[in-house]
Amino acid sequence: MSPSTARILETKLNPPASTATQVPRTAIREEIAAAATVKLVLVRAPAGFGKTTAMAQIRERMEAQGIATAWLTLDRADNDVSRFLNCLAEAALRLGVEEPHPNGPFDAVAALAAHDAPFTLFLDDFEVVQEPAVLGLVREIVEHLPRRGQIVIGSRGLPDLGMGRLRARGQLIEIDTDRLRFSLEETSAFFGLRTAPAMQALPADMLSQLHRKTEGWVAAIWLASMALERHGTETGFVERFSGSDRAVAEYLAEDVLAHQPKEIRDFLLRTSILRQLDASVCQALNPRMDCAAILEQLAASNLFLTPVGGDGDALAWRYHSLFADFLRAQLAREQPGEIERLHLAASGWYESHDRPVPAIDHAIEGGDHPYALTLLDSYAAQFLEQGRMRMLARWFSAIPEHQLREHPFLQPIALWATCFTHGPWDAMRMLEQSGCLDSPIPEVRASAHTLVPLLLAMQDRHDEAYDIGRQSLARLPTGLAFADSVLLNAMAHILAVRGDQHEARRMLEAAREQGNSTFNRMYTESLAGLFDLQEGRLRQATARLRMAVDSTHAVSYNHSHGNAWAGVLYAGAVYETHQLVQAEHLLNVYLPLARDVGLPDHMILSHVMRSRIAFHVGDIDAAFQALTELEYLGHHRQLPRVVASAKLERSRVLLLQGNGPASRDELLRADDPALWQRERRQRLPAHDLDYLALATARWDIAFGDPRAALAVLDAEIHAARASAHNRRALKLKVLRAMALQRAGDMAAAIEEIGEVLQTASQEGFVRLILDEGSAVGTLIHRYAIAMQEAPASRGGPNTDPILADYLQRLLQLIGPLPAPADAETPAGDAMKEPLTRKEIRVLQLLAEGYSNNAMAEKLFVSDSTVRTHLRNINMKLDAKSRTQAVAIARKLGVIR
C-alpha cells in the first residue's frame, strides 16, 4: 500500500474527535448499548442533525463496554467495489478479525461473518453509496453478521438494505430525525458549553424561542449560537428569523461568514473545494496566508472544522457538509473566476505529492481539461492495466470529445473503459465516431481494429466477429502486446462459440505467449476455465477461474476492477459445488457489473444463478424478481436470447412449484425457432445446460409423456458427447434417469442415476443434479437404498470412498425422503378446526416453496409468528410435516 493510500485510509478510518461543545446524547447512546441482539442500527436524518456526533458517542460507549469497534467514513469513490472492499478489509483488521482461510486472499466479508468476539462496525455518510454491487455487499454483511456483531450506519436517506426483513425480526433500531433533534434541555446544555458568557446566560424565554424556531435542528442551533455571539442577545436576532428548513441554515451561515475577519473568510471560501483539508494543500491554495495557524485557530474554536484523522504535521479536517455546500455556492457567486484557479492549484499540489487520482479529479472539476489530459497521458495506461475502468470512464465522459481527439493515444484507452463499463454498444458508437479505425498513427489504428471483434462478440454477433477477427489476425503482430493479446483472446472465445475447440485452445496459448498484462491473464485463464467447465472438468475449471479472478488483486480480497467476465464464471463454479453463500457474495460484486456492461451470457448466468439461490432459501419473490429484471434487460438491450432465457428459467421454477400449465406457457413464449436454431450450431456458455430442447424434455418428464422425453434425451446425449459437451451430457443423463423413473422403469432409473453419480463424484458436481428438485432427490434416496442392499461385489458405494462421501453429502443436502402424499393423508376429509385466512395464506406460500424467513418478511410478521401458524396448521390438518400439510390441504381443496 502506498503512503498516500495509507494516509487516505487513515482519515477515512478515524472517527471525528470529540469536542468540548458536544452535548451528550445519553438516551440514544444507552439504548444502542443495551441492544445487544440488534444487527443494524440506522441513524438517518438530513444534513445537520448530528448523525456523526451521535455515532461517535455510541462508539465511545461501545468501547467503554469492551466491544471492539471500527469506523469507516464513506465517499463517492467507494462506489468502486475494489476500493470499498479494500477499506472494509482495513476496518475489519482494526476489529481484530482474522481470516478464516489464512492461505487465500483476505476476505473481509467472510471474516466478519466468522468473528466470535463482539464488535461494532460504523459506516458513516452512507448516502453516497449508490452502486448496487456495494449495497449488495453491505446487505450480505448484515445478513451474515455473527451473534455478537453489529453495524451502525449513518445516512441522509433510507439505504436499500432489506430493512423490512430486519424490522420484522426485531434486528433493526432506527434513530431518525425526531430522535436526533435536540430537546430543550439539550439545547440549554449546548449553550451552557459555549465559552462566551452571554451564551451561558441566555435568557430562558429566548432559549425556548430559539429551540422552537429551529425545531431542535442541531446545525441551525450551532450556527445561531455563532451569530448570537456576534449580535448579542439584546438585538432581537432570535425574533428576526423563523422556520427550520435549509434556507434558515444558509441565512445563518451567511451571517456567520459575514462577520469573520477577511483573512478567515477568504480562507473558508477558497478551501471549500477540498474534500479534506491539511496545512500543506491549504497553503497551495492560499500562498500568502499562514494556513497552519488558521487551521489551528479554527480547530480550537470548534466552529467550522471536524477532525478526520492524522497526528502531528499530518492532521486533517473536513467542513461540516451543510456548511461546505454553502461555502462552495458562495464562492461561485462571489468569485466565479477563482474556482478554476483553485482547482488547478489543488491539482498541481496533488500531482507533486504523487496522488494522480485527486490531481485529475480537481483538474476536471476546475474545467482544465487540457491539464487533465496531460496527466492522463502519464497515468491512463497504468490505470488501464490496473483495470480501473469505471474511474477512467468517469473522467473521459467529462472531457469534450474534440479535446480528447488531440490526445490520440488516449482514445483507445477511453474506448476500453467505455466498453467495460457502459457496454459494447456505447463503445462501438464511440469507436465509429472517433476516427481511430483510420488513424494515421499505426498504434492507434491497430488498437482500434483489435477491439472490433470483441465488441461484436459482446453484442452477440459472433459470425460477424469471426469474419472481421480473421482479417485482424492477418495483421499480427502489430508490436502492441496488449492489443494483440486481446485480439487472440477474443478470437479464442469466438472460435469456441463456433465449436472449433482445437483452434480456440491454440489461440489461448498464443495469447499467453504474447503478453502478460493483468487484464489478458484474467481473460485467458477465464476462457480456459470456461472450456474446462463445458468439458466436465469442474475442479480444474474452478482453479483456473479462481486464478483469473485473483489475477488483478493478488494481495487483497478485492475481486477488483470490474472483471465481470471472470467473476461471473467463477461464481458459477462455486455455485455448482453448493457453496451458495460464497456464490451469492460473488454475485453481489459481479452481477451489477455484468448488467451494466451487457454481456449476454454473463447477464443470463448471473441472474439465473441469483434466482436459483433465492429459490433454494425460499425467497420466491426474489427468485422471480431476478428473472423479471433479466427479461427487462433483454428487451432493453434488444437481445432476444436474454429474454428467452428468462422465460426458460421461469418455466423451470413454475415446474418445481408444481404449476404445469403456467410452466408450459412460459416454454411456449420462449420458443423462438430462429434463436434456438442458432443455439444448436453455436456453443454459447449460458446455454450449455439451459436450452429449449432440454427444458421441453424436463416438462414432459414432469407433466407429459416421459417416454417421448426419453427419445429426445437419447439424441441429445449422443450429440453432446460427439462435441465433447460432457457437462451437458451429464445433465441430460440426470433427466434421462428421471424420465425412466416416471415411466415406471425403476431398475433402469437407478442404474442411470448411478452412472451419473459415479461421474459427478469425481469432479464434485452438485447443483447440476439437485437443481432438478425433489424428484431427483427421491431417485437418489432409492439409489442409496439399493446400493446398501447390494453385495459389495456389485460395486456399491462402499467400495468407492469418493462416491460414498459424495453420496452422503447429497443425501444430507436433500434431507429425509417424504412419505407419499396418499399414505400421509388421513382417512377423513374433514379438518379438526377451520383454517383462518392467515393460515391459508401461509399454506399457499408453503406450497410455493417459501422458507419461514421469507414468509415472515412477506407477511410482515416475525419468524416465531410463522412457526406458530405452522403448528396450528399441522394440528388442524392432523399433519406431521410441512409436506404432508400441503398434500392434505390440496386434497381438501383449501389450496391449489
Side-chain angles (χ1 to χ4, degrees):
M1 185 184 299
S2 69
S4 62
T5 301
R7 184 173 177 185
I8 292 169
L9 280 174
E10 194 64 28
T11 62
K12 290 169 65 64
L13 292 165
N14 284 331
S18 60
T19 63
T21 57
Q22 279 188 6
V23 175
R25 311 307 304 270
T26 306
I28 293 174
R29 192 172 56 192
E30 295 305 316
E31 177 186 355
I32 305 307
T37 61
V38 168
K39 281 189 173 185
L40 177 63
V41 177
L42 176 63
V43 184
R44 178 169 66 101
F49 275 90
K51 297 184 294 296
T52 301
T53 299
M55 290 171 64
Q57 292 186 14
I58 293 169
R59 178 177 179 271
E60 290 174 1
R61 182 68 174 84
M62 295 289 187
E63 292 195 325
Q65 291 178 277
I67 297 173
T69 69
W71 185 282
L72 180 57
T73 300
L74 300 166
D75 56 53
R76 288 196 303 271
D78 291 313
N79 284 290
D80 182 320
V81 174
S82 62
R83 176 182 162 106
F84 173 76
L85 283 171
N86 187 36
C87 295
L88 180 68
E90 291 294 325
L93 291 172
R94 295 190 176 205
L95 290 168
V97 169
E98 295 181 358
E99 168 60 33
H101 307 292
N103 295 327
F106 183 68
D107 180 348
V109 178
L112 289 169
H115 193 50
D116 289 334
F119 69 88
T120 302
L121 173 64
F122 292 81
L123 301 176
D124 198 14
D125 292 345
F126 198 82
E127 69 277 354
V128 301
V129 176
Q130 303 294 328
E131 171 58 47
V134 176
L135 290 170
L137 285 170
V138 177
R139 276 196 299 272
E140 181 181 346
I141 294 168
V142 173
E143 185 67 26
H144 298 291
L145 275 175
R147 183 173 57 87
R148 296 191 287 178
Q150 191 174 73
I151 292 183
V152 179
I153 287 177
S155 177
R156 294 186 186 183
L158 185 65
D160 182 14
L161 297 177
M163 299 296 179
R165 178 182 301 180
L166 293 170
R167 195 177 290 113
R169 294 176 182 173
Q171 296 174 335
L172 171 67
I173 288 181
E174 297 175 85
I175 307 297
D176 59 11
T177 304
D178 288 337
R179 295 289 308 282
L180 287 168
R181 295 182 192 276
F182 271 5
S183 65
L184 179 59
E185 292 73 18
E186 287 170 326
T187 302
S188 178
F190 172 80
F191 278 94
L193 293 169
R194 304 295 291 175
T195 57
M199 295 300 97
Q200 296 173 343
L202 196 68
D205 59 340
M206 186 176 294
L207 181 70
S208 177
Q209 187 178 24
L210 180 64
H211 174 74
R212 178 172 50 81
K213 290 192 172 185
T214 59
E215 296 184 10
W217 187 11
V218 179
I221 294 170
W222 170 64
L223 290 165
S225 71
M226 293 162 57
L228 280 167
E229 287 183 15
R230 176 67 53 186
H231 292 284
T233 58
E234 304 299 328
T235 60
F237 170 80
V238 174
E239 291 83 358
R240 287 200 303 269
F241 77 93
S242 61
S244 60
D245 59 11
R246 190 179 187 89
V248 173
E250 291 194 359
Y251 161 70
L252 294 172
E254 185 172 2
D255 183 84
V256 169
L257 187 66
H259 292 91
Q260 296 303 315
K262 183 178 187 306
E263 184 181 52
I264 298 295
R265 190 179 191 280
D266 288 347
F267 177 89
L268 293 171
L269 291 175
R270 292 171 65 84
T271 56
S272 65
I273 67 161
L274 300 172
R275 293 182 180 88
Q276 290 187 357
L277 296 80
D278 61 44
S280 184
V281 68
C282 290
Q283 198 66 53
L285 273 57
N286 303 280
R288 295 185 177 85
M289 298 181 188
D290 186 349
C291 293
I294 292 174
L295 284 170
E296 288 179 11
Q297 178 184 343
L298 292 174
S301 67
N302 295 316
L303 296 181
F304 299 104
L305 298 179
T306 299
V308 292
D311 51 70
D313 294 335
L315 282 171
W317 295 269
R318 65 176 175 85
Y319 291 121
H320 186 287
S321 57
L322 185 146
F323 192 60
D325 289 346
F326 168 77
L327 289 175
R328 284 191 290 269
Q330 193 70 16
L331 176 65
R333 284 192 294 267
E334 294 185 13
Q335 306 175 47
E338 190 69 9
I339 294 176
E340 293 183 3
R341 287 190 289 273
L342 291 169
H343 277 296
L344 185 59
S347 180
W349 185 87
Y350 283 118
E351 182 192 9
S352 68
H353 286 73
D354 194 26
R355 295 175 62 180
V357 173
I360 296 169
D361 273 333
H362 276 289
I364 291 175
E365 287 177 37
D368 195 339
H369 299 128
Y371 182 43
L373 288 163
T374 300
L375 292 171
L376 282 165
D377 277 331
S378 300
Y379 293 103
Q382 172 187 332
F383 292 143
L384 182 67
E385 279 289 321
Q386 295 171 356
R388 303 179 74 173
M389 304 293 185
R390 287 175 176 263
M391 183 178 70
L392 287 167
R394 173 169 58 85
W395 285 336
F396 284 124
S397 66
I399 295 172
E401 185 179 337
H402 71 277
Q403 293 184 348
L404 179 60
R405 285 174 179 261
E406 296 174 5
H407 295 256
F409 289 100
L410 290 179
Q411 286 185 282
I413 296 175
L415 289 167
W416 286 113
T418 301
C419 172
F420 289 105
T421 54
H422 299 296
W425 292 270
D426 286 358
M428 184 67 85
R429 284 192 295 270
M430 185 174 169
L431 174 63
E432 291 168 350
Q433 296 168 7
S434 69
C436 289
L437 291 169
D438 301 313
S439 172
I441 303 173
E443 293 87 349
V444 174
R445 192 169 61 249
S447 291
H449 280 283
T450 62
L451 187 58
V452 174
L454 177 62
L455 293 177
L456 289 171
M458 290 172 69
Q459 294 178 46
D460 226 17
R461 298 159 62 185
H462 293 94
D463 291 338
E464 296 172 68
Y466 173 72
D467 292 337
I468 292 179
R470 289 181 59 193
Q471 298 172 24
S472 298
L473 285 174
R475 303 186 184 99
L476 296 187
T478 65
L480 301 171
F482 180 86
D484 289 357
S485 295
V486 169
L487 176 61
L488 290 166
N489 276 315
M491 285 304 293
H493 170 62
I494 293 162
L495 285 161
V497 168
R498 291 172 61 87
D500 192 342
Q501 293 297 111
H502 176 75
E503 188 65 12
R505 289 191 177 276
R506 191 182 72 80
M507 288 286 173
L508 283 188
E509 289 304 316
R512 284 195 180 97
E513 296 171 3
Q514 184 66 43
N516 63 349
S517 73
T518 54
F519 175 84
N520 280 301
R521 279 201 304 272
M522 176 278 300
Y523 200 173
T524 302
E525 293 306 323
S526 61
L527 284 172
L530 176 61
F531 299 165
D532 287 336
L533 191 61
Q534 291 175 335
E535 292 170 15
R537 294 186 292 274
L538 176 60
R539 298 190 191 280
Q540 183 168 311
T542 303
R544 285 190 189 277
L545 292 169
R546 183 187 300 115
M547 183 164 55
V549 169
D550 291 342
S551 64
T552 54
H553 48 87
V555 296
S556 64
Y557 183 72
N558 283 348
H559 294 297
S560 61
H561 310 323
N563 288 331
W565 185 282
V568 169
L569 297 177
Y570 180 49
V574 169
Y575 171 80
E576 178 55 52
T577 59
H578 195 73
Q579 300 177 70
L580 301 188
V581 172
Q582 186 181 357
E584 185 176 22
H585 166 72
L586 290 164
L587 288 176
N588 284 336
V589 176
Y590 290 113
L591 185 150
L593 301 175
R595 179 190 60 214
D596 291 348
V597 176
L599 299 167
D601 288 289
H602 289 61
M603 283 195 296
I604 295 168
L605 290 168
S606 57
H607 282 80
V608 167
M609 210 184 316
R610 170 154 286 177
S611 177
R612 291 187 179 186
I613 292 172
F615 187 83
H616 175 79
V617 300
D619 195 344
I620 312 301
D621 291 339
F624 280 113
Q625 182 180 344
L627 299 179
T628 300
E629 180 180 320
L630 179 63
E631 186 173 358
Y632 167 80
L633 288 170
H635 285 300
H636 180 67
R637 298 284 174 85
Q638 297 183 343
L639 293 169
R641 183 159 67 92
V642 173
V643 176
S645 296
K647 297 181 188 303
L648 275 190
E649 183 61 17
R650 193 178 291 118
S651 171
R652 192 191 73 88
V653 172
L654 290 165
L655 180 148
L656 293 178
Q657 291 181 314
N659 194 338
S663 175
R664 182 66 175 174
D665 287 344
E666 287 295 325
L667 274 183
L668 293 174
R669 293 188 187 103
D671 188 1
D672 181 339
L675 188 158
W676 297 113
Q677 183 179 2
R678 172 195 163 200
E679 181 275 327
R680 294 197 71 82
R681 63 181 177 81
Q682 292 185 338
R683 196 165 178 157
L684 299 162
H687 303 302
D688 192 35
L689 302 183
D690 293 294
Y691 59 102
L692 186 64
L694 185 151
T696 303
R698 178 189 285 129
W699 191 92
D700 282 336
I701 293 167
F703 302 109
D705 182 354
R707 296 197 178 279
L710 280 169
V712 172
L713 290 170
D714 287 340
E716 290 292 319
I717 291 170
H718 177 76
R721 286 173 171 167
S723 59
H725 273 57
N726 297 330
R727 183 172 67 144
R728 175 183 283 191
L730 193 63
K731 169 64 101 173
L732 292 164
K733 282 177 67 64
V734 173
L735 293 175
R736 190 174 191 278
M738 294 169 63
L740 289 166
Q741 176 183 237
R742 173 92 196 290
D745 193 346
M746 189 54 64
I750 290 174
E751 182 178 354
E752 187 81 20
I753 200 66
E755 293 177 5
V756 169
L757 297 177
Q758 285 278 359
T759 303
S761 67
Q762 300 301 312
E763 292 292 336
F765 285 102
V766 175
R767 296 312 314 176
L768 177 145
I769 298 171
L770 297 189
D771 279 346
E772 295 307 317
S774 59
V776 78
T778 301
L779 186 54
I780 291 171
H781 269 284
R782 288 174 174 167
Y783 169 80
I785 294 169
M787 290 303 99
Q788 288 173 357
E789 297 172 351
S793 59
R794 289 183 56 189
N798 292 331
T799 65
D800 183 346
I802 295 176
L803 175 60
D805 288 346
Y806 173 75
L807 181 58
Q808 188 61 35
R809 185 182 178 216
L810 287 185
L811 291 172
Q812 289 174 349
L813 293 173
I814 293 166
L817 183 66
D822 290 343
E824 294 180 341
T825 305
D829 284 341
M831 286 180 282
K832 292 183 176 181
E833 184 181 340
L835 295 170
T836 67
R837 183 177 300 175
K838 182 73 76 171
E839 288 165 351
I840 293 172
R841 179 62 176 145
V842 169
L843 264 173
Q844 289 171 333
L845 295 175
L846 193 63
E848 292 173 13
Y850 282 78
S851 67
N852 285 13
N853 286 345
M855 283 191 281
E857 184 172 0
K858 193 170 184 68
L859 298 172
F860 299 102
V861 297
S862 66
D863 287 356
S864 62
T865 301
V866 170
R867 289 194 295 271
T868 300
H869 285 314
L870 291 172
R871 283 195 298 270
N872 292 339
I873 290 168
N874 286 342
M875 180 190 69
K876 292 178 179 181
L877 295 178
D878 196 19
K880 296 180 177 60
S881 69
R882 299 157 69 101
T883 304
Q884 186 181 12
V886 171
I888 295 170
R890 281 180 170 152
K891 183 174 182 180
L892 296 175
V894 176
I895 61 173
R896 290 190 302 167

